Amino acid sequence: IDVKGLVLGVFENEGEQGSVHLTEAAAGFDKALSGKLSELLKISGPALKKGKSRIFYGIHEDFPCVAVVGLGKNNAAVCGAENWDSSKENIRQAVSVGCRLLQDLEVNHVEVDGCGDAQSAAEGAVLGLFEYDQLKSKKKTKVTTQLHGSADSAGWEKGVLYAEGQNLARLLMEAPANHITPTAFASIIEEKVARHAEHVTIHKRFDWIQNQEMGAFLSVSKGSEEPPVFLELHYNGSPDPTRAPLVLVGKGITFDSGGISLKPSLSMDAMRADMGGAATVCASVVTAAALKLPVNIIGLAPLCENMPSGKATKPGDVVKAKNGKTIQVDNTDAEGRLILADALCYGHTFNPRAIVNVATLTGAMDVALGSAAAGVFTNSDWLWEQLHKASVVTGDRVWRMPLFQHYTRQVTDSQLADLNNIGKYSRSGGACTAAAFLREFVTAPHWAHLDIAGVMSNKDEVPYLRKGMSGRPTRTLVEFATGVVHND
């Protein structure tokens, strides 16, 4: 049975006591009901604060259930202290609350107030309703959404595509590792880009890895029975095919046991999401194609498992990367930087406009910033400004971290090789040491490393995301690509 619901917004009233400050769409709805909605809001309890909700039944024949949500102050704007646009975040949070409330009532079609920013409203709705329940017998009600009371259908559709991109990354990260092997991951992305075949080409590379002499990547994969895959996506959206591409590189460890340097069993199940970098990068390329962005993007994802076995790389082994540098592997659980090293070397062959790698790289990043922001290590002030500007819009924050020579000395003083894959003298500054290691494989003037370990999962920190893997920072990567187009 089709059951329709409606989500409407109300701002915190800063004027006359007892009055109600409705959004434009909510005011139109209220007028059609001869003021019944505003009257009910006055008598049903205290004024709605930001993120709070109230539901009314039977007040309109087309909508058996109407959820009214608090948007906070109408004058909210970019907040320097929080490094995001508070108005956009308030809308995402409020709309998600209303949509979930109606979903719990088994309403399967929801019309959503644009709240003055249809894109943010769409993001709140689509992100807030997502839950990974593919493997459960009892599933959440599937809800379709549409814009209500606004002419900004373009903004709404853009928000839907942004959110669906992040939800794709969430699905890949949340799914169990026996369902998302390197081969399965590549096949899912192949299926997603098929509808954009005119502008996207995909290469699933196997023996090619050996031919490219990616010894660092192969040293990680050799302990697993699952074959490694190097996934390469080319989105050609620019009217000028010779325009230098953005290269996005994502760490794709589909399960990380730590290898011979085995992780503790507690919470090891979460390492099914250690391919979060690859998931967000590939989802960003899919989204850019769906948006038809006028930019060229190359997405690279080295995919493999990190497992212990008789064939696995051992602590103290020395391997050779694609650029000829030798690496002493003192800890096989510092594997992400090894597969990224070869992918970064390959990424330079495209003469990129900028190269950005994304990885759930270090627990130290989680210790440093927690889930508040992804850490950005970069050699380019321009690139940092572009990433930061994008994150303010999406509310998916990034924070610049140091790339001091102090950390480089930690990885270049190796007893047996050119480099060591962990800090030689101290575990302190682990996220910075990992970034310094990656910099040894970078010659591009505009490079950034995003360590997303701290933002990999969500408990309740981001109110419009349910508990589980977050898919962050997919929307920021898409907004970054959009911004580069506008600034060229």
Side-chain angles (χ1 to χ4, degrees), residues 77-114:
V78 173
C79 176
E82 289 294 334
N83 274 272
W84 64 27
D85 188 318
S86 296
S87 175
K88 292 178 182 292
E89 281 294 284
N90 291 352
I91 292 169
R92 293 181 188 111
Q93 179 180 350
V95 168
S96 72
V97 167
C99 287
R100 287 180 195 161
L101 188 61
L102 295 175
Q103 184 183 40
D104 290 342
L105 295 170
E106 300 185 353
V107 172
N108 54 20
H109 182 76
V110 176
E111 294 193 16
V112 178
D113 181 352

Side-chain angles (χ1 to χ4, degrees), residues 112-171:
V112 178
D113 181 352
C115 303
D117 185 339
Q119 180 179 342
S120 296
E123 290 173 9
V126 177
L127 291 171
L129 288 167
F130 175 87
E131 179 161 336
Y132 183 81
D133 57 7
Q134 277 81 339
L135 305 178
K136 292 184 177 181
S137 300
K138 188 176 181 181
K139 303 180 188 296
K140 287 276 189 182
T141 300
K142 296 303 176 188
V143 180
T144 57
T145 59
Q146 73 177 72
L147 182 61
H148 176 87
S150 170
D152 189 13
S153 57
W156 174 267
E157 288 304 320
K158 183 179 179 182
V160 168
L161 291 174
Y162 269 54
E164 285 180 344
Q166 184 167 342
N167 285 349
L168 170 59
R170 293 165 83 186
L171 183 146

